[in-house]
């Protein structure tokens, strides 16, 4: 009997190993790559506006332009990026993007050391970096299903969301320390080094995705018809259509807070750059909690239900952000960030898993790019709008507009097929209508 029980457990153990992302070596390498790269990038998220504000005396509108430059590629090149990614080996493309990003970010501390750094260079670096970040992001989401089975996608996306949120905590905190020790340009040099580490981790991945398109260019589909296919797929699926509407609306308003946050904390509340970094890190705690809790909440409440509950109820403390003031009242900014990052991460894990599961593999790059074109194409518009409003209405008033708009974005999910479901379907079946 004991021998039979031992044999039965021995047979079960491999199956359980296959059902766990912890035993997927290549996924762990991708995860490690992202953890390092995201942490370094979060250092720059803090350091780049500080370079503009502290060293180059940039105005609120100029900081808004810088934010728009950092995100404009999502509006300009996200659509062709999806079709191009579907034609290429995604792992090699990601490695190339990381190496180019290293050179771009590294040019800022080099120019500062030479005494030739200008706002024009910051705009150029921000714009070029956003282009390569778009290609990396589209390739990254399209490559993940090659490393994980559909049943593991939600777990994998949850862990990747945790690493992004941990980076949002560790990055600004690390950036605050680096800014204090070596200055904002030195902190950006650390980010440049992180892209090298990320590229090395990607190089160690063994999984190779199959080529989806014929090698002969004469038989290769044309670019713009492929782009239209991606947009049509998103428009045809009701869950995808409403989820990109939600993300696009939320990002338009949230980028206003991200853009004006350092200006508000430094010039209105008169915080030191070190404390600004620590406060932004505190706000990202919600993202870690959301990534960790997403799978458990999906099982207990339902993956469809939590997507709209999170963004219509759990995000409401975000209204505390513009109430932040001097002394201990500044903590309200962090509390508002915690609620927003928690709610958006919980909803995002479920919605991303749906897109990856239902989309045909040879169209995933185009569909992901079409979704990002809408989701993130609103970022530069929000950055410009936030900077313009702050210049005319004031920073705090603009923050009120931003948080009210951001909290209303969840209505896209509430008034969608998700409200009538317990769980989001992950069975390669479109919700057409």
């Amino acid at each position: 009997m004991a021998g039979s029980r031992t044999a039965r457990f021995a047979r079960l153990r491999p199956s359980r190993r296959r059902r766990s992302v912890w035993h997927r070596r290549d996924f762990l390498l991708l995860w490690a790559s992202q953890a390092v790269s995201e942490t370094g990038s979060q250092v720059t998220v803090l350091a780049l506006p500080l370079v503009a504000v502290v060293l180059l005396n940039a105005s609120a509108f100029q900081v808004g332009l810088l934010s728009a430059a950092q995100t404009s590629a999502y509006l300009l090149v996200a659509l062709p990026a999806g079709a191009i990614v579907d034609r290429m080996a995604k792992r090699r493309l990601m490695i190339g993007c990381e190496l180019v990003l290293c050179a771009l970010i590294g040019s800022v501390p080099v120019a500062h050391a030479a005494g030739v750094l200008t706002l024009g260079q910051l705009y150029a670096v921000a714009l070029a970096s956003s282009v390569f970040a778009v290609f990396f992001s589209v390739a990254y989401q399209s490559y993940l299903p090659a490393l994980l089975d559909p049943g593991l996608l939600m777990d994998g996306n949850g862990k990747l969301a945790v690493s992004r949120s941990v980076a949002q905590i560790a990055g600004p905190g690390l950036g605050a320390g680096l800014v204090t020790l070596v200055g904002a340009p030195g902190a950006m040099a650390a980010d440049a080094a992180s892209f090298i580490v990320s590229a090395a981790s990607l190089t160690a991945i063994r999984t190779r995705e199959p080529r989806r398109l014929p090698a002969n260019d004469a038989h290769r589909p044309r670019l713009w018809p492929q782009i239209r296919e991606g947009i049509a797929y998103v428009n045809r699926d009701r869950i995808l259509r409403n989820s990109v509407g939600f993300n696009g609306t939320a990002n338009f308003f949230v980028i206003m807070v991200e853009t004006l946050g350092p200006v508000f904390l430094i010039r209105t509340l008169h915080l030191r750059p070190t404390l600004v970094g620590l406060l932004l890190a505190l706000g990202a705690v919600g993202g870690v909690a959301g990534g960790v809790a997403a799978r458990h909440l999906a099982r207990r409440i339902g993956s469809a239900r939590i997507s709209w509950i999170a963004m219509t109820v759990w995000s409401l403390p975000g209204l505390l952000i513009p109430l932040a003031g001097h002394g201990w009242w500044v903590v309200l900014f962090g509390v508002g960030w915690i609620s927003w990052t928690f709610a958006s991460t919980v909803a995002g894990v479920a919605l991303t898993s749906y897109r990856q599961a239902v989309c045909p593999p040879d169209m995933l790059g185009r569909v992901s790019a079409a979704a990002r074109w809408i989701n993130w194409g609103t970022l530069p518009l929000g950055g410009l709008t936030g900077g313009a409003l702050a210049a005319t209405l004031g920073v705090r008033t603009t923050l009120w507009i931003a948080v009210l708009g951001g909290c209303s974005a969840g209505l896209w999910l509430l008034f969608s097929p998700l409200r009538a479901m317990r769980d989001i379907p992950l069975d390669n079946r479109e919700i057409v209508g």
Side-chain angles (χ1 to χ4, degrees), residues 120-382:
Q121 180 178 345
L122 293 187
Y123 292 143
V125 168
L127 177 60
S129 297
S130 71
V131 171
F132 288 95
V134 165
F135 277 94
F136 183 91
S137 180
V138 173
Y140 169 81
Q141 291 291 338
S142 303
Y143 188 51
L144 183 62
L147 304 182
L148 295 177
D149 299 327
L152 294 177
L153 282 176
M154 188 152 188
D155 190 18
N157 279 312
K159 287 178 169 54
L160 292 168
V162 169
S163 69
R164 286 193 295 270
S165 297
V166 169
Q168 288 173 342
I169 291 176
L174 177 61
L178 289 172
V179 167
T180 301
L181 293 175
V182 297
M188 295 190 67
D191 180 24
S194 74
F195 288 116
I196 296 293
V197 177
S198 175
S201 183
L202 291 170
T203 302
I205 294 177
R206 297 171 183 168
T207 300
R208 304 293 185 267
E209 73 274 17
R211 288 183 63 88
R212 300 297 182 185
L213 297 171
N216 188 347
D217 289 342
H219 300 288
R220 181 172 294 186
R222 298 180 64 184
L223 184 64
W224 287 108
Q226 286 190 293
I227 291 172
R228 287 195 296 269
E229 286 179 12
I231 297 175
Y233 192 99
V234 171
N235 185 58
R236 185 169 64 244
D237 188 293
R238 288 183 294 168
I239 292 179
L240 282 179
R241 188 170 65 229
N242 281 64
S243 68
V244 298
F246 149 69
N247 278 307
T249 302
N251 286 338
F252 178 85
F253 291 107
V254 170
I255 195 64
M256 292 187 186
V257 181
E258 292 184 354
T259 299
L260 299 175
V263 178
F264 175 66
L265 295 172
I266 291 175
R267 291 186 176 164
T268 302
L269 301 185
H270 307 293
L271 295 183
R272 295 191 302 273
T274 300
L275 294 179
V276 172
L278 294 177
L279 187 61
L280 294 175
L282 175 65
V285 169
V288 175
V292 171
R295 191 181 183 191
H296 172 73
L297 291 171
R299 289 198 305 263
R300 189 174 183 85
I301 302 174
S303 59
R305 288 175 183 167
I306 62 168
S307 65
W308 60 265
I309 290 174
M311 296 312 305
T312 57
V313 179
W314 299 342
S315 65
L316 291 180
L319 296 171
L320 296 173
I321 288 174
L323 292 174
H326 298 285
W328 285 103
W329 290 103
V330 75
V331 174
L332 294 179
F333 191 97
V335 172
W337 266 124
I338 287 173
S339 71
W340 269 9
T341 53
F342 178 85
S344 62
T345 300
V346 169
V349 167
L351 296 173
T352 300
S353 299
Y354 173 78
R355 183 176 72 242
Q356 291 171 333
V358 302
C359 183
D362 60 341
M363 284 191 63
L364 188 54
R366 280 165 282 167
V367 171
S368 295
R372 278 175 173 73
W373 181 59
I374 302 170
N375 292 350
W376 295 345
T378 58
L379 290 173
L381 303 178

Side-chain angles (χ1 to χ4, degrees), residues 89-113:
K90 298 170 183 61
R91 186 183 67 98
R92 285 186 292 182
L93 175 61
M94 288 187 288
I95 293 171
C97 287
E98 294 290 75
L99 295 178
V100 173
L101 286 168
C102 172
L104 288 170
I105 299 299
S107 71
V108 173
V110 171
H112 177 261

